[in-house]
Amino acid sequence: MNAASHQTDLKPHAAGTDTTVLSGAEVLLRVLVEQGVEVIFGYPGGAVLPIYDALFRQNAIRHVLVRHEQAAVHAAEAYARSTGRVGVVLVTSGPGATNTVTGLLDAMLDSIPVVCFSGQVGVPLIGTDAFQEADTTGITRPATKYNYLVRRPEDVAPCVHEAFHIARSGRPGPVLVDLPKNLMVGPASYSDAPRVPHPSYHPQTEPGRDVIARAVAAMKGARRPLFYTGGGIINAGPEASTALRRLVEKTGFPCTSTLMGLGAMPAGDRRFLGMLGMHGTYEANMATHGCDVLIALGSRFDDRVTGRLDAFSPGSFKIHADIDPSQINKIVPVDVGIVGDARRVIEMMLEEWDCTPANTRQPIDVAQWWHQISEWRKIDSLGFSQDMAPDAIIRPQYAIRRLHELATATGRDTYVSTEVGQHQMWAAQHFGFSKPNRWLTSGGLGTMGYGLPAAVGAQVAHPDALVIDIAGEASTLMNIQELSTIAQYRLPVKVFILNNQYMGMVRQWQELLHDSRYSESYSAALPDFVKLAESFHGRGLRATCVGELDGVIADMLAHPGPVVADICVAQDENCYPMIPSGAAHNQMLLGPDQDDEISAEGRMLV
Amino acid sequence: MTTQQESPVSAVISIQVENESGALARVIGLFSGRGYNIESLTVAAVDETRRQSRINIVTTATQRVLEQIRAQVERLVPVYRVSVMTAADPHVAREMALVKVIASGERRADALRIAQAFRAHPVDASATSFVFELTGATDKLDAFIDLMRPLGLAEVSRTGVAAIARGAAIL
């Protein structure tokens, strides 16, 4: 059959409402083209057959067939996170839609712009328990920034345009559009993006000059200042990271980052203290505890960051800038709240810093603060000792350090995704990121199984880049079917499994909180990952000891196709440093020898 | 500073929303999802031409939680404006109750007398029953219902609170 003879012209037309009669599915695709969509991650089914048929008859948009709808959302998230564009998902009704829920909530908590199109049974069948019917807007309402059930053909184009606007503007997030099948088959009219997208939706992006002035006045008087930056900087685009680097340089203040903000500051920068929070560095957490002015930029005082709230950064003057007004004073009351886009906040802070007089006592004081920080740094809280005998057991931290060093040596642009657990924290601690948008991880929701589909999304977006999923053996099995997607599209993704045969973080908490009763946390009956890779047409490699590690990493990096590297690491390694549940930032556990009793209250925390 | 216990106060949250499918579900889902209490809820279209509805929710929370409720509701896409009215904010809050009393003889006469004192109107009467309509502040309705209890109170239907700021201030 000659597909070309059925080609539909989806090219942008002159402005205004076009009277050409298209099907709803064709209208949908035309809006996607207008919105600049190049790739859709999806999975077909009954309710979306008309959309898949329209996709078949066009060439403007590429479709990537995943093997599970959850993976489609994670791939779209990584595509969005690594490009700054909106990720697009297409799934069928019922189970297709419900399978996206985890991904949508993941995007919600990490503020990732995604638009998900779900099929729905025809309008006349809605509410009749029809085959593959689900109340998709009801189910996804708390998992999305906004969602629609489109009920009339003339609403298709405006809703879809608006969905993109809402997903990418303000605090970004997932938007779902539920599309009944009859509207996709029947005629619909195309219309351009409405001038007023949604009458009640007006996110504030420009910060107030007065609050910026108050913030900078406090910063100029600071003796022990600290920037605490988060994923909002990444969402504000690479220019925000550039501006942050200038602000840090100009002020001479130290800077720490959340998990989601890694890469905004180069890991090697002398003013960067590393990540803060539960598995943050000693210097970052001690500085957070001891600072007198804390400047939170695009971060949200997550419980993984604050630890015990009543002991969080006691006595500091707190400045909090966020694009979402509901984040200010949500967890920690602050002295100056700034609502605005992180990039604009930082740029205006830079302007304000230049046009107000310097505080004369400040440089000496801040020098003393830096002296204190350098003392904390000497603790070397990320330090570990690796037995370098060739047959020695690989420590996971060492594996990530070597991976970082050898990947950096290739000179290739490198994107790293992770699953969730110990390996994720070790990756955050030991894989130094020098650029924003290169670190793809599930922060807020902590979704095991995120990393492999995320690697798919990143590799689709950046075909020539080096894309590595730093994984754990348990997490990666949660979406292992994506090896098939990787094979189909010949994506040269590298899956670097730190295999300790345990759900490591669960095991660690059971050790620390439940007297080492390892209830159900052992990864029994694991597959042979080498053979698994081969069965999915990829290359499988294994390192069982230190002597094999570099060779395996080098082979993995050199191989032009997909690789699964099974790195057998120490089974009993715990992730340190650690702020135990219910403890304050200055009560960190630095290693296994420090045996602090965790309170009953602490055991109740997640 | 962070865990300081403020005392909870009663408040009416008035929300002007786009009159669209799912808007109410979004608001009440936010309340249940984030653990905020709903003591009463009213909703009706108030501006048909601009497709706007008003939701009034009575809740009890600390000042800080009320601010958080305001911020969380405000960021919902279909929400235009939110106002939080506590005893400190001059406002009028009223609700209506329909109260069915089944009584005869002395108790029937007492019920009617008390209803007159409360300016409750009998909107339905039969040989053995009354339905009273009563409008006013929540505590007035509560007091009336309490007084009807020993006199044959059979059923109550209340609208929940509608509220509006005093003076020229608008939402």
Side-chain angles (χ1 to χ4, degrees):
Chain A
M1 172 170 150
N2 182 5
S5 64
H6 299 276
Q7 291 272 324
T8 311
D9 182 13
L10 299 168
K11 291 286 178 302
H13 287 251
T17 302
D18 194 329
T19 49
T20 318
V21 178
L22 300 171
S23 70
E26 286 165 341
V27 168
L28 167 67
L29 292 185
R30 195 160 143 200
V31 178
L32 298 189
V33 170
E34 292 281 346
Q35 289 289 339
V37 174
E38 291 172 357
V39 183
I40 294 176
F41 299 92
Y43 203 106
V48 285
L49 282 175
I51 304 173
Y52 273 85
D53 192 52
L55 268 175
F56 188 83
R57 288 182 284 110
Q58 57 86 49
N59 283 323
I61 299 171
R62 182 179 172 205
H63 180 272
V64 173
L65 177 69
V66 294
R67 299 303 190 262
H68 186 286
E69 290 87 350
Q70 181 193 354
V73 188
H74 293 325
E77 285 184 89
Y79 179 91
R81 190 74 166 168
S82 66
T83 60
R85 308 168 63 154
V86 178
V88 180
V89 176
L90 173 59
V91 298
T92 194
S93 63
T98 58
N99 275 346
T100 65
V101 170
T102 302
L104 293 171
L105 190 57
D106 192 274
M108 183 78 171
L109 284 182
D110 286 342
S111 309
I112 312 291
V114 168
V115 174
C116 176
F117 297 101
S118 53
Q120 181 55 278
V121 301
V123 173
L125 289 174
I126 289 177
T128 65
D129 302 320
F131 178 63
Q132 292 193 330
E133 183 189 356
D135 175 9
T136 301
T137 48
I139 290 167
T140 59
R141 198 169 285 126
T144 51
K145 180 174 175 182
Y146 195 57
N147 63 15
Y148 305 82
L149 168 58
V150 182
R151 289 175 179 275
R152 302 180 306 173
E154 62 269 33
D155 292 339
V156 173
C159 281
V160 176
H161 277 301
E162 196 178 272
F164 278 86
H165 173 71
I166 290 174
R168 71 162 78 90
S169 60
R171 181 179 179 181
V175 177
L176 179 136
V177 185
D178 205 22
L179 299 164
K181 187 171 184 179
N182 62 324
L183 299 193
M184 294 295 98
V185 177
S189 52
Y190 174 79
S191 57
D192 282 336
R195 269 195 313 263
V196 183
H198 198 289
S200 55
Y201 176 69
H202 305 287
Q204 183 186 343
T205 54
E206 189 67 8
R209 187 67 66 179
D210 53 331
V211 280
I212 294 285
R214 281 176 56 212
V216 170
M219 286 157 65
K220 287 225 160 155
R223 294 182 158 93
R224 301 184 310 280
L226 179 67
F227 287 113
Y228 146 48
T229 63
I233 310 265
I234 310 291
N235 274 337
E239 302 85 358
S241 294
T242 307
L244 173 69
R245 292 166 188 208
R246 277 172 51 218
L247 184 64
V248 168
E249 183 65 33
K250 189 180 280 286
T251 56
F253 293 177
C255 180
T256 181
S257 168
T258 67
L259 181 73
M260 295 310 292
L262 293 177
M265 281 292 291
D269 190 289
R270 66 197 168 98
R271 296 210 164 88
F272 185 60
L273 308 187
M275 184 172 74
L276 84 166
M278 185 170 272
H279 294 291
T281 66
Y282 186 72
E283 54 270 29
N285 284 333
M286 291 301 284
T288 308
H289 191 80
C291 65
D292 70 345
V293 174
L294 182 70
I295 309 120
L297 301 172
S299 47
R300 59 179 176 92
F301 298 90
D302 181 84
D303 56 81
R304 298 292 105 155
V305 159
T306 61
R308 206 177 96 202
L309 262 185
D310 61 358
F312 175 75
S313 193
S316 63
F317 185 93
K318 294 179 182 72
I319 298 162
H320 185 192
D322 201 289
I323 198 161
D324 178 358
S326 74
Q327 299 309 303
I328 292 163
N329 292 321
K330 182 180 76 172
I331 305 289
V332 172
V334 296
D335 301 282
V336 178
I338 304 169
V339 177
D341 177 74
R343 175 185 165 190
R344 286 299 298 140
V345 168
I346 297 168
E347 285 171 353
M348 284 170 70
M349 280 180 168
L350 280 163
E351 291 163 21
E352 185 71 19
W353 185 273
D354 282 341
C355 69
T356 51
N359 193 323
T360 49
R361 78 163 184 250
Q362 192 230 347
I364 303 149
D365 291 326
V366 176
Q368 281 173 355
W369 176 230
W370 272 111
H371 177 71
Q372 172 67 71
I373 289 168
S374 64
E375 292 299 309
W376 288 329
R377 273 180 164 156
K378 286 180 191 160
I379 300 281
D380 188 20
S381 60
L382 300 182
F384 59 92
S385 58
Q386 172 66 57
D387 178 353
M388 292 309 292
D391 59 349
I393 295 172
I394 302 165
R395 297 189 73 179
Q397 304 92 319
Y398 178 71
I400 291 177
R401 286 269 174 103
R402 288 305 291 155
L403 176 65
H404 177 229
E405 285 157 10
L406 294 170
T408 306
T410 65
R412 298 176 64 190
D413 200 4
T414 303
Y415 294 80
V416 172
S417 69
T418 73
E419 312 288 338
V420 167
Q422 284 183 323
H423 67 274
Q424 176 191 29
M425 293 297 111
W426 283 317
Q429 291 172 339
H430 298 281
F431 199 104
F433 294 92
S434 54
K435 292 179 187 167
N437 307 92
R438 302 304 193 275
W439 167 240
L440 313 164
T441 198
S442 170
L445 194 61
T447 309
M448 291 172 71
Y450 170 88
L452 190 54
V456 168
Q459 192 80 74
V460 166
H462 311 277
D464 300 324
L466 173 60
V467 176
I468 307 169
D469 172 24
I470 298 180
E473 84 289 342
S475 280
T476 202
L477 283 178
M478 282 206 181
N479 270 321
I480 197 70
Q481 77 285 347
E482 293 313 308
L483 286 177
S484 183
T485 309
I486 286 168
Q488 179 178 346
Y489 297 96
R490 303 182 198 284
L491 302 173
V493 163
K494 316 300 179 200
V495 187
F496 191 74
I497 302 175
L498 297 177
N499 185 348
N500 61 2
Q501 299 186 35
Y502 275 99
M503 299 159 204
M505 196 59 94
V506 174
R507 191 203 55 73
Q508 175 168 345
W509 280 53
Q510 288 172 333
E511 180 185 320
L512 296 175
L513 277 78
H514 299 281
D515 297 328
S516 301
R517 289 182 296 277
Y518 297 133
S519 180
E520 303 293 328
S521 56
Y522 179 66
S523 296
L526 283 172
D528 177 333
F529 284 106
V530 172
K531 288 184 182 160
L532 183 71
E534 287 164 357
S535 76
F536 280 106
H537 321 291
R539 177 107 187 260
L541 300 168
R542 179 173 293 124
T544 57
C545 57
V546 168
E548 295 170 351
L549 180 65
D550 278 12
V552 163
I553 295 175
D555 285 354
M556 176 181 93
L557 296 176
H559 184 67
V563 177
V564 176
D566 184 19
I567 311 297
C568 305
V569 297
Q571 293 197 358
D572 55 355
E573 191 72 31
N574 282 344
C575 185
Y576 290 109
M578 178 181 185
I579 301 176
S581 312
H585 279 194
N586 59 348
Q587 299 169 318
M588 298 191 78
L589 299 182
L590 292 170
D593 306 331
Q594 200 178 327
D595 192 19
D596 281 14
E597 190 65 22
I598 291 166
S599 66
E601 207 176 307
R603 276 200 294 273
M604 284 183 231
L605 300 170
V606 178
Chain B
M1 173 169 162
T2 53
T3 55
Q4 176 192 326
Q5 271 321 109
E6 295 179 77
S7 50
V9 295
S10 180
V12 186
I13 320 254
S14 270
I15 306 158
Q16 199 87 359
V17 295
E18 176 85 359
N19 190 359
E20 64 177 30
S21 161
L24 178 65
R26 255 172 245 285
V27 172
I28 61 172
L30 187 154
F31 272 72
S32 62
R34 293 188 183 265
Y36 306 137
N37 183 30
I38 295 181
E39 286 158 25
S40 86
L41 168 72
T42 64
V43 55
V46 291
D47 187 337
E48 293 291 352
T49 52
R50 285 189 294 169
R51 291 172 29 97
Q52 293 189 11
S53 292
R54 184 158 171 142
I55 300 171
N56 294 287
I57 293 174
V58 177
T59 190
T60 301
T62 62
Q63 204 59 48
R64 198 168 144 213
V65 171
L66 289 176
E67 271 315 303
Q68 187 54 211
I69 293 175
R70 177 212 296 275
Q72 291 289 354
V73 173
E74 243 165 16
R75 76 173 178 156
L76 295 175
V77 170
V79 169
Y80 285 95
R81 291 174 299 279
V82 182
S83 115
V84 176
M85 290 172 279
T86 66
D89 311 292
H91 69 280
V92 185
R94 291 287 182 273
E95 64 174 312
M96 190 186 90
L98 295 172
V99 179
K100 184 174 286 185
V101 176
I102 300 174
S104 55
E106 191 64 21
R107 291 197 305 163
R108 186 176 162 88
D110 282 353
L112 204 52
R113 202 162 48 244
I114 291 167
Q116 276 166 354
F118 273 77
R119 281 180 231 167
H121 309 292
V123 290
D124 177 70
S126 72
T128 55
S129 68
F130 281 117
V131 174
F132 294 114
E133 177 200 304
L134 176 61
T135 305
T138 296
D139 53 357
K140 176 181 163 183
L141 271 57
D142 291 344
F144 180 73
I145 290 162
D146 278 347
L147 287 170
M148 287 300 117
R149 199 156 277 135
L151 301 177
L153 178 74
E155 195 177 342
V156 178
S157 180
R158 291 170 76 148
T159 58
V161 168
I164 204 159
R166 288 186 185 275
I170 57 168
L171 175 60

